[in-house]
Amino acid sequence: EKFGGDGVIRDMSCGWGGRLIGFLASTRKHYIGTEPSSKTYDGLLKIKEDFGYLGKKVEIHKLGSEVFHPDKESLDLCFTSPPYFNREQYSADESQSFKKFPEYEDWRDNFLRPTLKTASEYLKHDRYLLWNIADIGDGDGFMPLEQDSKDILAEYGLAYVETLKMLMTTMRGVKAEQVKNCCKIEGELQKYEPIFVFYKE
């Protein structure tokens, strides 16, 4: 409702349908989603069918966001949580990005970059892109999914606005320095996942 404008909501990685449910609960009328996983695709179609009585336009395309192209400058909001490289493996389909691009640099250049390029180019002006992604552990450090995403979006002319914090479960007995993204809520240490907000002038 806050960022969606009046038109098309684009979800580049539908997953299990959480954002689709959010769209259906909103006042927005048109959703375009892509999801290559055969494991979740049928469930997305079931959600679409079950809520068809709402009269909203829902498009679900069974392919990866790196190869999907909508009409140029047709999107009012891009909002998704992409796979965190090989951390989130929804299925063993060869169309899954971690299967197609098994090395991080390859995944960054051939999945992450074209996904963000398309979203940036096809987003209308004076509109937002919300990107929920977090770095993942890599030995003693982290794979830089967050910074790589920010850098790519900056290259394509989107301006960083703010980071929303999506709280996860309370982490008892875990030291703050062991977790990259955490904050204290009423004295309790909680992990959060960042949702980066970008704006296209």
Side-chain angles (χ1 to χ4, degrees):
E1 296 293 348
K2 180 176 180 179
F3 296 103
D6 297 320
V8 180
I9 309 300
R10 170 83 174 99
D11 184 353
M12 295 85 88
S13 299
C14 295
W16 298 102
R19 284 173 300 282
L20 174 55
I21 293 291
F23 159 78
L24 291 166
S26 77
T27 60
R28 303 306 179 254
K29 301 298 183 185
H30 189 179
Y31 172 99
I32 301 175
T34 47
E35 176 54 57
S37 170
S38 57
K39 190 173 182 180
T40 62
Y41 179 73
D42 289 344
L44 294 165
L45 293 182
K46 183 68 164 53
I47 294 172
K48 175 183 175 179
E49 178 185 345
D50 287 349
F51 290 92
Y53 66 88
L54 294 174
K56 299 192 177 194
K57 186 174 182 179
V58 176
E59 300 177 41
I60 308 292
H61 300 271
K62 192 176 183 294
L63 74 169
S65 57
E66 76 276 15
V67 296
F68 178 77
H69 295 90
D71 294 332
K72 286 214 169 183
E73 294 194 357
S74 62
L75 308 176
D76 288 84
L77 171 67
C78 294
F79 176 35
T80 203
S81 180
Y84 293 12
F85 179 41
N86 59 7
R87 178 63 52 85
E88 296 180 344
Q89 301 182 9
Y90 286 94
S91 74
D93 297 348
E94 292 301 318
S95 58
Q96 292 286 283
S97 64
F98 76 94
K99 287 273 196 176
K100 292 173 70 174
F101 313 113
E103 301 298 326
Y104 176 71
E105 290 76 12
D106 192 23
W107 181 87
R108 178 195 63 206
D109 295 340
N110 294 294
F111 172 78
L112 189 65
R113 178 175 290 279
T115 294
L116 292 174
K117 181 176 188 291
T118 297
S120 301
E121 289 180 348
Y122 294 17
L123 188 65
K124 292 178 183 177
H125 291 278
D126 191 28
R127 294 292 187 268
Y128 292 90
L129 181 148
L130 276 66
W131 188 250
N132 168 217
I133 201 166
D135 292 347
I136 59 174
D138 180 26
D140 294 331
F142 293 90
M143 290 184 184
L145 282 77
E146 297 174 26
Q147 192 60 52
D148 283 345
S149 296
K150 289 180 177 180
D151 291 345
I152 291 168
L153 287 166
E155 284 180 38
Y156 294 127
L158 270 68
Y160 168 77
V161 177
E162 63 178 321
T163 299
L164 306 176
K165 296 178 180 180
M166 181 170 61
L167 293 178
M168 311 303 280
T169 56
T170 302
M171 303 180 304
R172 301 185 185 282
V174 177
K175 295 180 180 179
E177 59 268 21
Q178 296 175 308
V179 180
K180 187 172 188 299
N181 296 314
C182 65
C183 59
K184 280 194 174 181
I185 305 294
E186 297 180 352
E188 293 280 0
L189 187 65
Q190 287 194 235
K191 178 182 178 181
Y192 71 84
E193 287 202 351
I195 301 175
F196 301 110
V197 180
F198 289 85
Y199 175 73
K200 182 175 180 178
E201 292 185 357

